């Protein structure tokens, strides 16, 4: 069961994870983007962590607040994508105070769809979608989430980007992991850890 | 990496404060956000024009705020698209009751954030439309092209159309006409450095340069040995000439921020010589820093085929500090 | 060292050609020499104003040629004073029959070459006088002070006085008033590179900066560890405040050529805050590249105590591309 | 005896010497000036060498032409200084087709005075004057000119500059030889070689 406190814990863990990997995220983005992904995510999750001390009535209310915060703090491409994912998840969670694996997966799937819709993107374009979409398609309760996520992140390395800034590099975008896929795996791993 | 700044996270707000303090006759600031608007506020009845994006491209975009050009510029973090709530503030500040046009450079982040802001503004009852500029021929796939220095021509021409009292539909139409015809391409011999991370956008050794760079410190599409600017100009023009036919054009030689003006004029000298030899008539010429990438040392060339309408809008008065006419 | 130029020995003439080709409505060129004059020629009856010096300081000095400012700019080799015969051509191009004032920055070379030219011109029957600008407080001995960014205020104010029909004596008097009151000081975090030799003006490691630099790639009078611009501004202002009393001033934050505009506005933000706290009223503010040193990354601060007369001349119209008013 | 051809030879030798020392002159000027002295002198003596094929009636005519050429080609501080030195020497030479040691020394002394007058400078300020003035005060026919000149150049190293760009460095100007003193020694040595 994912409780409100569990979700808060997941977001705190995500913040720590982002902070630890800030330079890696930035370096990956420097290689095939504009070198700000770590900075953007760190600014966003910093802001998220500061809204976690407030009380929330439901997973929906918390998710909505997180989505609005990310939307207004991250900027760049990642901001509206992560932001709208959480806003969409909020709709699925609704008034629920806790979510079982099935509800959580459904909410995340809605989030993933919202990323694809907002980003006009699909699987195979070397973006965060390459983590969200296949992960949620295959994941079962009790799986080794971290391992699955790591593999999906790793798979982006060999892809050629056709969305986002990395697409400017064409063939040269091959050989570097997509930064957004790494930040996505940090976030998803932190959330999945709390549902078991 | 050496930066003449204070606390990096305060860079954009200190810059915005500096701009407004230095030019109170031109600029106002929307309270508490990094949005610069016209000192005299939105002009009632006029279509409002809003642009913006990440900071680090100065004078873009705040330098184009002023009578005859933009009504508001939204200043995101360095090289990071501003967020929808910020853009919404810009829209509100520019709204004179007759609709607002957003001029957006073609980056996933910018497009998404400006679109989200437009949705929010529509919810607030403001009529909003947008035009996307994608002038960078370095990217072969047209849909993916970046918006670069050509955006300034869209600002100027759409700005003059709006100032002349055109409707939102009409201003959008002329903006799209410019956006669909303008073409640019850039290069750099030295990268820029990100203020927060302190890292260069790319690493180049003494004998290399990047062709087809973006304006966010991104590497170019091709790395080559350095050469005389004469040959570099040939290289960039060979791409541009494929998409702009000989005829009357406006040309811009735009500095990337760290390029001495002397080099820009030497560059222009070669650009003019070669274009004229190829049958182009340089009807309007612009040389200087218009759309930069922090301290990057390089330049871009922009060509806009001109007709009567665009020419007269280019020549119309402008109080914007970055494009005084 | 990477330069966006062609043949280094052709740099100045290609730059001048580029300038004149790009802005034929403002600029003319004296045939065969690197002298830029007004497109419409010398104005009959008006006192002519000529400045110049080595190139590499763009927009200085050609950027200040235009109605309301200079009549001619003499463009020497990079960082090398122009020769007397060149200056003489500038004087002839500026002569409207009522005398010519030379605005000279205080360097042995400039002073000697301009004086020699004045002697030649007097021989040709042209009344010539000159004013020497020595505004750089980094040099303690007043006679030896260099002419730096403050020179632009002399151009503007003397230019407006000449445009208003004042006599040579009157224009000289106001130019000297400005020159005797204006004070500047500069710094750099990165040197510039000489186009011919390819060498930097000085070598700095990653943790060092130069305080009290000149505008010819010269080292500063002091080398210090780099710091926030906040503290750098304190440092420069501490020297300037000793010589300019609190009161109404014009302030200029001038970029050295390779400094992003964002950094100049952040710098200005601190300058304004500190000066106002110290009792100065910033009546006029200028932020941008006015007197550069190729691609040097740094800035200078200039203060000019204002009275009514100087203020109104500062505000007078100017068609010069580097100081559009 | 210094003939017209001797003077031409001296100027050609000076050009070669300047060219050889171009980088040294520039580096010295880079250290305590603006790094263009070698470039300026090389441009100037290049131009001088191209007027040497013409015929001249007198040492005066040749010197005047050299002076005007230097004046209009060197630029900077060195241009008017060397230029006016030769123009002044021309007056002393007058119609003479050759000069003995005494006449040459007198002409050079006039040149030296003209440098001091134009530059408002005197001995001890770490400029080219510190070569011209003491050299001409002490030199006797048949001396080891080169040695004397080298010593004078070397003496500028320990001086503190109070004229020209080097003066901006105050005490820090000590420790570097004045570039103008080196170019002066090249020129004077080339001329003196031809008088014997
Ligand atoms: N259209 C898109 N659809 C899905 N994901 C995208 C899209 N554009 C970018 N991304 C993701 O966003 C990441 C970059 O985020 P960030 O660096 O913060 O923004 P920006 O690219 O604007 O600098 C990429 O690594 C990629 O995973
Ligand atoms: N006022 C002066 N009097 C005598 N010699 C001077 C004076 N000013 C400069 N010099 C000489 O000129 C040399 C510098 O010449 P150069 O580098 O060509 O000119 P600039 O200093 O204008 O760049 C100095 O090394 C010095 O010997
Ligand atoms: Mg990025
Ligand atoms: Mg970005
Ligand atoms: Mg010089
Ligand atoms: Mg020099």
């Amino acid at each position: 069961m994912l409780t409100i406190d569990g979700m808060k814990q997941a977001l705190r863990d995500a913040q720590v994870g982002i902070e630890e990997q800030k330079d890696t995220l930035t370096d990956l983005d420097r290689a095939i983007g504009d070198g700000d992904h770590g900075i953007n995510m760190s600014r966003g999750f910093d802001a998220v962590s500061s809204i976690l001390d407030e009380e929330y009535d439901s997973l929906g209310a918390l998710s909505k607040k997180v989505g609005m915060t990310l939307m207004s703090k991250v900027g760049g491409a990642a901001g509206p994508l992560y932001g709208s994912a959480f806003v969409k998840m909020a709709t699925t969670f609704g008034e629920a105070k806790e979510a079982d694996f099935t509800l959580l997966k459904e909410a995340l799937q809605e989030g993933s769809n919202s990323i694809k819709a907002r980003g006009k993107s699909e699987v195979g374009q070397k973006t965060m979608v390459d983590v969200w979409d296949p992960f949620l398609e295959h994941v079962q309760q009790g799986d080794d989430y971290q391992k699955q996520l790591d593999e999906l992140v790793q798979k982006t390395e060999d892809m050629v980007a056709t969305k986002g800034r990395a697409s400017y590099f064409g063939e040269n975008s091959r050989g570097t992991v997509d930064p957004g896929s790494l930040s996505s795996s940090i976030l998803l791993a932190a959330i999945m850890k709390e549902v078991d | 990496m050496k930066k003449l700044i204070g606390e990096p996270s305060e860079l954009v707000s200190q810059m915005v404060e500096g701009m407004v303090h230095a030019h109170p006759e031109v600029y106002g600031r929307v309270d508490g956000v990094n949005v610069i608007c016209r000192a005299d506020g939105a002009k009632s009845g006029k279509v409002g024009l809003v642009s913006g994006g990440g900071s680090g491209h100065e004078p873009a975009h705040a330098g184009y705020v002023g009578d005859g050009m933009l009504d508001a510029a939204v200043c995101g973090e360095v090289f990071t698209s501003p967020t929808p709530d910020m853009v919404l503030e810009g829209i509100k500040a520019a709204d004179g009751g007759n609709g607002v046009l957003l001029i957006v450079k073609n980056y996933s982040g910018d497009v998404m954030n400006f679109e989200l802001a437009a949705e929010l503004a529509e919810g607030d009852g403001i009529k909003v439309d947008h035009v996307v500029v994608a002038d960078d021929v370095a990217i072969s796939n047209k849909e993916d092209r970046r918006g670069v220095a050509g955006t300034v021509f869209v600002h100027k021409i759409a700005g003059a159309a709006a100032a002349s009292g055109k409707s939102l539909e009409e201003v959008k139409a002329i903006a799209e006409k410019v956006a669909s015809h303008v073409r640019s391409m850039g290069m750099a011999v030295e990268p820029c450095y990100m203020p927060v991370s302190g890292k260069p956008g790319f690493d180049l050794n003494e004998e290399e340069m990047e062709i087809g760079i973006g304006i966010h410190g991104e590497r170019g599409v091709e790395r080559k040995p350095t050469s005389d600017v004469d040959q570099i100009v040939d290289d960039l023009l060979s791409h541009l000439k494929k998409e702009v036919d000989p005829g009357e054009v406006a040309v811009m030689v735009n500095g990337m921020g760290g390029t001495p003006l002397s080099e820009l004029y030497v560059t222009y000298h070669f650009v003019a010589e070669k274009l004229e030899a190829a049958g182009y008539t340089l009807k309007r010429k612009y040389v200087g820093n218009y759309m930069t990438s922090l301290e990057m040392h390089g330049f871009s060339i922009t060509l806009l085929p001109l007709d009567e309408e665009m020419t007269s809008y280019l020549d119309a008065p402008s109080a914007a500090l970055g494009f005084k006419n």
Side-chain angles (χ1 to χ4, degrees), chain B residues 223-296:
Chain B
R223 178 166 294 193
K224 289 193 173 175
T226 50
S227 63
D228 276 11
V229 78
D230 189 352
Q231 286 160 259
I232 301 172
V233 166
D234 274 333
D235 193 346
L236 300 190
L237 286 183
S238 73
H239 291 89
L240 291 166
K241 287 195 293 196
K242 274 185 219 147
E243 305 204 13
V244 179
D245 291 332
E248 294 190 335
V249 295
V251 60
M252 175 183 282
V253 172
N254 168 58
M256 301 309 298
T259 319
L261 196 52
S262 47
E263 295 185 9
L264 293 182
Y265 276 108
V266 170
T267 303
Y268 171 79
H269 161 77
F270 288 109
V271 169
E273 195 172 85
K274 289 167 200 290
L275 282 177
E276 287 178 345
Y280 294 80
T281 305
L282 308 192
K283 215 171 161 195
R284 295 294 178 271
K285 306 107 172 183
Y286 304 89
V287 181
N289 287 337
Y290 287 92
M291 177 76 73
T292 64
S293 186
L294 296 172
E295 67 274 76
M296 188 181 270

Side-chain angles (χ1 to χ4, degrees), chain B residues 187-193 200-210 213 217 226 256 258-259 293 295-299:
Chain B
M187 63 77 59
V189 287
E190 299 283 358
C192 59
Y193 294 81
F202 44 81
D203 301 293
L204 272 182
N205 70 33
E206 264 306 299
E207 278 72 44
E208 291 172 336
M209 63 182 175
E210 293 276 341
I213 47 135
T226 50
M256 301 309 298
T259 319
S293 186
E295 67 274 76
M296 188 181 270
H297 190 160
F299 67 92

